[in-house]
């Protein structure tokens, strides 16, 4: 029987993946069984992404495919970000959706599913309460983590109280809600017990962690506590830090706590103060220069990643050139770039001087072309070093893994000849560098010979 079988498709970012895995845990505990094929399930769930236009399009396309193929005995649930902001509009776009549950009470998925299955409803059911809640191991026994091999994401907060002009996250998620430190610490301990070697702490703004709990600069204390509670963890990685909120204490903890990777992701969004002011982002460029100098002094081997938006409404050629100069000056190890995407309901949607797509594309290409030469140079500096590499896969006689400089799925890989055990750390001597990836060979540690007198 497939009456209690479910198919769950997770779209979007790693934070969405955490919510998807948590929903799956709740369903599994309630006696539901996951399947990998939609045809085998009675319940179809799509955890949607609504962050930018292409993400919304992918979510709608996935929902339509399932809606058009589903039988009368199947129930289709739209969950996640797009469900939260569109609600009934999503049902208009995708006839055939039976239920809509948003981001703020996804933890009610079992009750919501049972209600949908209890009897047929002539109209779709909606579960879109305003209040937000972040679940930890204290409620329902659910780990707020997404595990992939030897790595796991832990969401330590949800929502955001920053009001960036281009961003719809506060509208989707609500204001920032932090998980209690003890719940995060217990979860890290539980993941270490399961053999996880790397945890990646995620939130819309890690550096705001604990503000709503009355904590001041709460992230450094949390990091120390995780390290003490789970000494088996090899890497603790941070994503993401808000510009202007990286404290001296956080830098000190990162530099002195050996489990924390020397990897910093600070999404700066632009390098010209006038554009940053228009974005309602921190516009103190001097802070960036000073702070990156502090970080590099404390951690000379640090890898710094950032993200930029090009083609923001009103961005002039001179301002874009200012961004290029900024990137040239600071020599980031990793750069992600996005063309400005019109987001209905955000302050930037009402701005005049929206730029043509061809201008945004041209600026994107110029920025990435310049960054490619910087990335290659930064990678070439790794040649000759022996780095610990977390092995993640094999193929065609090669082994693939990541160094501390590489976050999963968004950064580069190390390509190693031969095979090495998946899920383990091996020392690799780097012998080649490409724009985004490295190559190397496993460094064999020679046994010490003891001469007896």
């Amino acid at each position: 029987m497939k009456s209690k079988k479910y198919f769950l498709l997770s779209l979007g970012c790693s934070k969405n993946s955490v919510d998807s895995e948590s929903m799956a845990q709740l369903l599994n505990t309630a006696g539901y069984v996951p399947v990998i094929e939609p045809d085998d399930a009675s319940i179809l769930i799509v955890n949607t992404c609504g962050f930018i236009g292409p993400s919304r399009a992918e979510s709608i396309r996935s929902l339509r495919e399932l809606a058009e193929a589903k039988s009368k005995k199947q129930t289709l649930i739209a969950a996640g970000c797009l469900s939260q902001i569109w609600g009934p509009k999503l049902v208009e776009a995708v006839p055939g959706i039976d239920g809509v549950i948003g981001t703020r009470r996804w933890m009610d998925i079992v009750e919501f599913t049972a209600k949908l299955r209890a009897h047929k409803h002539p109209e779709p059911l909606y579960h879109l309460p305003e209040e937000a809640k972040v679940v930890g191991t204290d409620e329902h026994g659910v780990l707020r983590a997404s595990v992939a091999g030897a790595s796991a994401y832990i969401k330590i907060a949800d929502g955001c109280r920053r009001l960036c002009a281009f961003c719809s996250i506060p509208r989707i998620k609500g204001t920032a809600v932090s998980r209690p430190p003890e719940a995060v610490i217990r979860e890290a301990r539980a993941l270490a017990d399961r053999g996880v070697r790397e945890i990646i702490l995620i939130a819309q703004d890690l550096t705001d962690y604990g503000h709503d709990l009355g904590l001041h600069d709460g992230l450094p204390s949390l990091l120390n506590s995780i390290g003490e509670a789970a000494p088996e963890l090899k890497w603790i990685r941070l994503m993401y830090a808000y510009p202007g909120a990286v404290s001296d204490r956080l830098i000190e903890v990162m530099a002195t706590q050996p489990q924390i990777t020397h990897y910093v992701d600070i999404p700066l969004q632009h390098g010209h103060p006038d554009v940053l002011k228009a974005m309602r982002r921190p516009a103190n460029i001097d802070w960036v220069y000073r702070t990156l100098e502090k970080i590099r002094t404390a951690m000379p081997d640090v890898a710094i990643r950032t993200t930029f938006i090009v083609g923001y409404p009103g961005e002039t050629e001179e301002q874009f050139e200012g961004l290029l100069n900024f990137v040239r000056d600071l020599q980031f190890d990793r750069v992600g770039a996005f063309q400005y995407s019109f987001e209905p309901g955000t302050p930037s949607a009402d701005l005049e001087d929206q730029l043509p797509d061809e201008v945004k594309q041209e600026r994107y290409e110029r920025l990435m072309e310049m960054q490619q030469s910087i990335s290659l140079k930064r990678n070439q500096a790794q040649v000759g070093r022996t780095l610990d590499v977390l092995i993640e896969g094999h193929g065609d006689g090669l082994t693939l893994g990541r160094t501390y400089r590489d976050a999963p799925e968004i950064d580069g890989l190390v390509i190693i000849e031969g095979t090495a055990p998946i899920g383990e750390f091996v020392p690799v001597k780097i012998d080649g560098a490409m724009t985004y990836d490295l190559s190397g060979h496993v460094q064999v540690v020679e046994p010490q010979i003891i001469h007896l007198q």
Side-chain angles (χ1 to χ4, degrees):
M1 288 181 62
K2 66 179 183 180
S3 61
K4 293 202 76 172
K5 294 180 179 179
Y6 70 93
F7 168 81
L8 197 161
L9 175 64
S10 186
L11 303 175
C13 67
S14 55
K15 293 181 283 294
N16 241 25
S17 298
V18 171
D19 291 347
S20 294
E21 286 211 20
S22 298
M23 282 193 283
Q25 289 178 61
L26 290 170
L27 289 165
N28 296 345
T29 301
Y32 291 87
V33 178
V35 295
I36 59 174
E37 294 294 336
D39 289 345
D40 296 332
S42 63
I43 303 149
L44 310 170
I45 304 170
V46 179
N47 196 12
T48 62
C49 179
F51 186 52
I52 57 176
S55 303
R56 292 193 293 270
E58 181 186 19
S59 295
I60 292 170
R61 182 171 61 253
S62 299
L63 283 166
R64 282 178 176 164
E65 289 174 357
L66 291 173
E68 290 169 2
K70 78 182 180 85
S71 70
K72 292 182 179 180
K73 294 183 178 180
Q74 290 179 304
T75 299
L76 176 59
I77 299 173
C81 297
L82 191 58
S83 301
Q84 183 70 43
I85 54 175
W86 276 22
K89 180 181 174 184
L90 184 56
V91 174
E92 292 177 13
V94 187
I97 292 175
D98 300 292
V100 178
I101 183 170
T103 59
R104 304 189 187 186
R105 292 294 307 180
W106 57 260
M107 61 287 302
D108 299 333
I109 185 65
V110 172
E111 295 83 355
F112 185 62
T113 300
K115 189 175 180 180
L116 277 171
R117 287 163 47 82
H119 52 84
K120 269 295 180 184
H121 299 270
E123 299 292 333
L125 293 184
Y126 297 91
H127 188 55
L128 302 168
E130 285 297 312
E131 74 274 10
K133 189 169 184 180
V134 180
V135 173
T137 50
D138 294 326
E139 184 175 344
H140 301 306
V142 173
L143 285 172
R144 292 291 287 116
S146 172
V147 181
S151 301
Y153 292 91
I154 298 180
K155 187 189 287 189
I156 67 171
D158 213 355
C160 187
R161 64 189 181 100
R162 316 291 187 184
L163 298 176
C164 305
F166 55 83
C167 185
S168 56
I169 290 295
R171 192 161 61 99
I172 296 171
K173 298 281 192 176
T175 192
V177 180
S178 303
R179 295 177 59 197
E182 57 273 17
V184 178
I185 295 163
R186 277 197 299 272
E187 188 156 291
R189 175 66 263 165
L191 289 167
D193 288 341
R194 289 172 55 176
V196 166
R197 307 297 304 283
E198 174 190 29
I199 63 168
I200 303 148
L201 302 184
I202 56 173
Q204 271 73 31
D205 176 7
L206 283 180
T207 46
D208 198 35
Y209 172 76
H211 177 272
D212 54 312
L213 303 176
L215 303 177
H216 174 68
D217 203 15
L219 182 59
S221 296
L222 180 67
L223 291 171
N224 280 329
S225 297
I226 291 173
E228 291 172 5
E232 305 94 323
L233 292 170
K234 172 80 170 178
W235 287 344
I236 302 171
R237 189 182 301 275
L238 310 182
M239 300 177 75
Y240 309 86
Y242 190 76
V246 177
S247 68
D248 290 349
R249 183 166 172 246
L250 176 58
I251 295 172
E252 179 187 5
V253 170
M254 292 186 67
T256 58
Q257 217 274 41
Q259 292 166 282
I260 303 174
T261 57
H262 288 182
Y263 177 99
V264 182
D265 189 326
I266 309 177
L268 295 167
Q269 308 304 2
H270 212 276
H272 194 285
D274 291 344
V275 178
L276 288 167
K277 288 174 185 174
M279 290 178 169
R280 301 183 186 176
R281 295 281 293 180
N284 186 344
I285 298 299
D286 288 340
W287 178 91
V288 179
Y289 280 88
R290 289 196 312 271
T291 301
L292 265 57
E293 183 179 2
K294 287 180 185 177
I295 291 171
R296 284 172 167 157
T297 299
M299 296 173 280
D301 62 344
V302 71
I304 300 177
R305 178 181 180 83
T306 192
T307 309
F308 296 114
I309 295 173
V310 298
Y312 192 76
E315 179 192 59
T316 65
E317 176 62 25
E318 180 183 2
Q319 290 167 341
F320 176 70
E321 289 287 347
L323 170 60
L324 294 180
N325 291 333
F326 179 73
V327 172
R328 192 178 293 114
D329 280 350
L330 286 169
Q331 298 284 299
F332 299 99
D333 296 84
R334 316 288 193 212
V335 167
F338 298 91
Q339 300 176 46
Y340 169 77
S341 174
F342 178 88
E343 299 303 311
T346 63
S348 65
D350 297 326
L351 293 176
E352 298 179 356
D353 299 325
Q354 301 279 337
L355 300 185
D357 288 344
E358 55 268 25
V359 172
K360 291 188 279 189
Q361 179 66 27
E362 188 266 344
R363 290 180 181 175
Y364 169 83
E365 290 173 359
R366 284 163 62 193
L367 171 61
M368 294 312 296
E369 182 180 1
M370 188 183 76
Q371 176 58 31
Q372 284 170 358
S373 63
I374 296 171
S375 296
L376 177 59
K377 178 181 171 184
R378 303 294 287 184
N379 272 356
Q380 287 171 336
Q382 307 305 312
V383 174
R385 294 183 68 192
T386 297
L387 301 174
D388 285 340
V389 173
L390 177 57
I391 303 302
E392 295 191 316
H394 302 137
D396 297 327
L398 299 174
T399 294
L400 300 178
R402 291 183 292 111
T403 72
Y404 74 92
R405 302 176 73 250
D406 306 299
E409 299 180 344
I410 60 172
D411 291 324
L413 294 168
V414 181
I415 303 166
I416 308 162
E417 288 192 13
T419 59
I422 291 175
E424 296 295 330
F425 286 89
V426 298
V428 174
K429 186 162 186 180
I430 306 302
D431 56 25
M434 294 156 274
T435 302
Y436 301 114
D437 302 321
L438 299 170
S439 63
H441 58 274
V442 175
Q443 186 78 359
V444 178
V445 179
E446 296 292 339
Q448 291 186 337
I449 299 176
I450 301 174
H451 297 281
L452 299 177
Q453 298 295 327

